Amino acid sequence: DVKVTQSSRYLVKRTGEKVFLECVQDMDHENMFWYRQDPGLGLRLIYFSYDVKMKEKGDIPEGYSVSREKKERFSLILESASTNQTSMYLCASSYDGELFFGEGSRLTVL
Amino acid sequence: GQNIDQPTEMTATEGAIVQINCTYQTSGFNGLFWYQQHAGEAPTFLSYNVLDGLEEKGRFSSFLSRSKGYSYLLLKELQMKDSASYLCAPSLTGGGNKLTFGTGTQLKVEL
């Protein structure tokens, strides 16, 4: 079975802190994605990557950056967390278009 | 830009049939995915349509009309465990074959 692992299920951070969300997949997938999910807004794409060291902006990249130094790992970085970044963050990897999601990281910014 | 429209909520009775519709307008289209998401959990894959027509998989079927920008998910013999959010997700052309999601349809199955 494909496994996508997110490092933290729940995080609480303060405004202005730097936040790292880590995601690792074990199926050698080329493509990896970061989404955030908010009530009434659904899943929105933040960034994606289709190869090591490659990254593309999604629909809402502002306030975020990403890193893909190794094929299996895709990190989401909040340089200076703000309260409007309180959300559920979902990482996914894909093969032939089908997404495999991690369990999600619920981030609260106080 | 992308525009995906599906009903926000639906309610159905255990044992019944329910159809969840999705219309979409996207720039570049590969195919359409349906995902199921239970509360507090990650989405899981249900179906993928590339060609026009109906794909059947057990109690779940999915239909696609590319020319109309329309899809539906059909759930038969509803069970309580089918209460979940159902996400319509067109797959877009270009690097990464990224998926863009609708806001989801919250289905409640009642006795």
Side-chain angles (χ1 to χ4, degrees):
Chain A
D1 280 350
V2 175
K3 189 146 180 76
V4 179
T5 304
Q6 295 183 228
S7 54
S8 305
R9 290 295 304 273
Y10 300 95
L11 302 97
V12 179
K13 298 291 181 181
R14 298 216 171 266
T15 301
E17 278 192 77
K18 190 168 186 176
V19 181
F20 290 88
L21 299 179
E22 305 285 346
C23 176
V24 177
Q25 51 100 358
D26 65 358
M27 284 302 291
D28 202 36
H29 288 169
E30 301 287 340
N31 305 319
M32 295 189 75
F33 304 80
W34 275 105
Y35 289 87
R36 64 177 281 178
Q37 187 171 30
D38 301 286
L41 297 176
L43 278 155
R44 293 179 292 166
L45 182 63
I46 304 171
Y47 267 96
F48 66 103
S49 168
Y50 52 87
D51 201 353
V52 176
K53 296 192 185 295
M54 303 296 289
K55 58 185 178 184
E56 293 279 343
K57 293 180 180 179
D59 300 318
I60 51 162
E62 296 78 19
Y64 303 95
S65 61
V66 290
S67 172
R68 185 110 182 258
E69 295 297 317
K70 293 184 178 180
K71 192 175 186 179
E72 67 270 20
R73 187 179 297 270
F74 191 37
S75 303
L76 180 69
I77 303 153
L78 289 69
E79 292 289 341
S80 178
S82 62
T83 54
N84 63 12
Q85 292 178 309
T86 291
S87 186
M88 170 67 85
Y89 290 88
L90 287 160
C91 173
S93 67
S94 80
Y95 172 74
D96 202 20
E98 179 183 344
L99 289 177
F100 298 86
F101 286 91
E103 292 294 309
S105 298
R106 184 166 291 283
L107 171 66
T108 302
V109 183
L110 301 175
Chain B
Q2 332 298 341
N3 189 35
I4 302 160
D5 192 31
Q6 53 181 128
T8 304
E9 294 178 340
M10 298 182 73
T11 302
T13 305
E14 190 178 34
I17 299 172
V18 72
Q19 178 174 313
I20 302 174
N21 295 322
C22 172
T23 57
Y24 61 90
Q25 291 175 304
T26 61
S27 51
F29 179 79
N30 276 332
L32 192 134
F33 287 85
W34 283 95
Y35 280 79
Q36 180 191 59
Q37 186 177 24
H38 285 100
E41 298 181 10
T44 55
F45 169 81
L46 284 179
S47 68
Y48 179 48
N49 292 66
V50 176
L51 302 176
D52 285 358
L54 189 68
E55 295 273 347
E56 297 187 73
K57 190 188 294 186
R59 293 190 300 114
F60 293 5
S61 303
S62 56
F63 172 85
L64 177 67
S65 168
R66 297 175 71 107
S67 61
K68 294 182 179 178
Y70 169 68
S71 174
Y72 67 74
L73 181 69
L74 192 72
L75 293 77
K76 302 176 187 174
E77 301 169 18
L78 279 172
Q79 302 174 9
M80 299 297 287
K81 67 179 182 179
D82 297 330
S83 293
S85 183
Y86 292 86
L87 310 175
C88 170
S91 173
L92 308 181
T93 55
N97 289 316
K98 66 180 184 179
L99 268 64
T100 187
F101 286 84
T103 54
T105 298
Q106 187 65 46
L107 174 66
K108 183 178 179 183
V109 180
E110 298 178 330
L111 290 170

